[in-house]
């Protein structure tokens, strides 16, 4: 089956970096239109002017006028279904966890290889979240340290909801989870919606962090 082509926006205040990423993205067969923005305000203005919204935004954190943190918060309120990958040199655990809690779908370092960028974009389309191994390790170390100081809450998750959550953490798609549990995709989407509602997570990435914090999965 032919892969669907997607539109994407690169948001970074360094023109040379944007051009370099654009050249890399142009080599990916599943990329259609590539837009550019120089800061968060330009990005939001661009989104408001487009007839067709992109599927994914690549977003730097440190930019003039409006940084990526502020822009991500605004975008997730205006366009909650838009997927955002943070593409930055910031590897601070607190910033990463804050951005996940804000609802971003992925976090990738600027020194990543082109192959990893391609993998990240494809994972976002099929699994809704992506974190590079080094980012996952930073997040995990932070969570493991802090959760000893936190009281775990009772979120009243059913056995089936916990089962679905564990499979989400293993990077199964809704279709794969449906096949594994002999349920319909629609039913699995219903479980995912309930999980988001009960845990307060904003997306699948947030659900994974919730599952680790509450020791529903041990990674």
């Amino acid at each position: 089956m032919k892969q669907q082509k997607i539109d994407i926006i690169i948001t970074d205040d360094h023109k040379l970096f944007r051009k370099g990423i654009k050249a890399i993205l142009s080599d990916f067969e599943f990329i259609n239109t590539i837009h550019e923005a120089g800061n968060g305000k330009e990005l939001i203005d661009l989104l408001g002017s487009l007839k067709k919204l992109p599927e994914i935004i690549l977003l730097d954190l440190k930019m003039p006028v409006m940084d990526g943190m502020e822009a991500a918060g605004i975008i997730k309120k205006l366009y909650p279904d838009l997927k955002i990958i943070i593409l930055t040199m910031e590897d601070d655990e607190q910033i990463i966890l804050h951005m996940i809690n804000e609802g971003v779908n992925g976090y990738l370092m600027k020194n990543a290889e082109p192959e990893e960028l391609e993998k990240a974009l494809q994972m976002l389309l099929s699994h809704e979240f992506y974190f590079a191994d080094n980012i996952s390790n930073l997040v995990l170390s932070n969570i493991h340290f802090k959760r000893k100081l936190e009281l775990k809450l009772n979120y009243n998750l059913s056995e089936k909801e916990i089962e679905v959550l564990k499979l989400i953490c293993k990077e199964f798609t809704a279709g794969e989870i449906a096949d594994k549990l002999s349920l319909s995709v629609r039913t699995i989407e219903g479980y995912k919606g309930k999980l988001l509602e009960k845990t307060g997570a904003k997306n699948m990435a947030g659900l994974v962090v919730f599952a680790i914090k509450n020791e529903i999965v041990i990674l």
Side-chain angles (χ1 to χ4, degrees):
M1 191 169 89
K2 193 174 181 181
Q3 188 174 17
Q4 175 191 359
K5 290 203 169 190
I6 65 167
D7 296 343
I8 195 165
I9 299 178
I10 308 164
T11 309
D12 194 286
D13 58 319
H14 294 97
K15 289 184 180 180
L16 284 177
F17 179 78
R18 292 203 310 267
K19 298 304 179 187
I21 294 296
K22 186 173 183 178
I24 291 170
L25 292 174
S26 298
D27 288 336
F28 300 161
E29 292 184 359
F30 59 93
I31 299 295
N32 186 28
T33 304
I34 304 170
H35 302 282
E36 296 181 46
N39 57 58
K41 185 179 183 306
E42 284 186 19
L43 170 62
I44 291 167
D45 289 344
L46 175 60
L47 288 171
S49 70
L50 292 174
K51 292 182 179 179
K52 176 184 177 294
L53 288 175
E55 281 73 17
I56 296 174
I57 295 172
L58 293 176
L59 183 62
D60 189 21
L61 286 180
K62 287 190 174 181
M63 296 179 293
V65 185
M66 182 187 291
D67 63 24
M69 294 179 76
E70 184 179 355
I74 293 171
I75 290 166
K76 282 299 179 179
K77 288 178 182 176
L78 295 176
Y79 313 101
D81 294 330
L82 248 176
K83 295 181 173 67
I84 298 175
I85 287 188
I86 300 299
L87 187 58
T88 182
M89 290 306 294
E90 291 291 331
D91 61 356
D92 181 88
E93 299 98 326
Q94 295 302 319
I95 293 176
I96 296 169
L97 287 170
H98 173 75
M99 296 311 297
I100 295 171
N101 290 331
E102 284 298 301
V104 303
N105 305 83
Y107 205 103
L108 194 63
M109 300 303 292
K110 282 186 173 181
N111 59 3
E113 296 292 336
E115 292 79 12
E116 186 170 16
L117 175 59
E118 182 176 17
K119 176 184 176 183
L121 295 174
Q122 291 180 326
M123 285 285 284
L124 240 66
L125 295 175
S126 59
H127 296 79
E128 299 183 45
F129 68 93
Y130 175 82
F131 297 103
D133 289 341
N134 59 329
I135 297 299
S136 297
N137 290 335
L138 283 171
V139 173
L140 286 172
S141 64
N142 183 278
I143 290 172
H144 286 313
F145 175 77
K146 282 194 166 183
R147 71 179 174 200
K148 295 178 182 178
L149 307 177
E150 296 175 350
L151 290 174
K152 285 187 288 185
L153 302 175
N154 180 9
Y155 289 85
N156 295 316
L157 300 184
S158 69
E159 288 185 14
K160 189 62 71 175
E161 287 167 346
I162 290 174
E163 192 174 6
V164 170
L165 179 53
K166 287 180 176 179
L167 291 171
I168 289 171
C169 292
K170 291 180 179 178
E171 299 183 354
F172 281 74
T173 65
E176 290 167 343
I177 296 172
D179 288 343
K180 195 168 185 66
L181 301 182
S182 299
L183 297 170
S184 70
V185 172
R186 184 175 180 180
T187 299
I188 298 303
E189 293 295 348
Y191 278 122
K192 287 165 69 175
K194 281 290 186 184
L195 285 166
L196 291 172
E197 180 183 339
K198 287 184 176 182
T199 64
K202 294 185 178 179
N203 56 23
M204 296 304 104
L207 278 180
V208 172
V209 172
F210 166 85
I212 298 167
K213 270 187 176 180
N214 291 274
E215 299 185 343
I216 293 171
V217 296
I218 306 295
L219 300 179

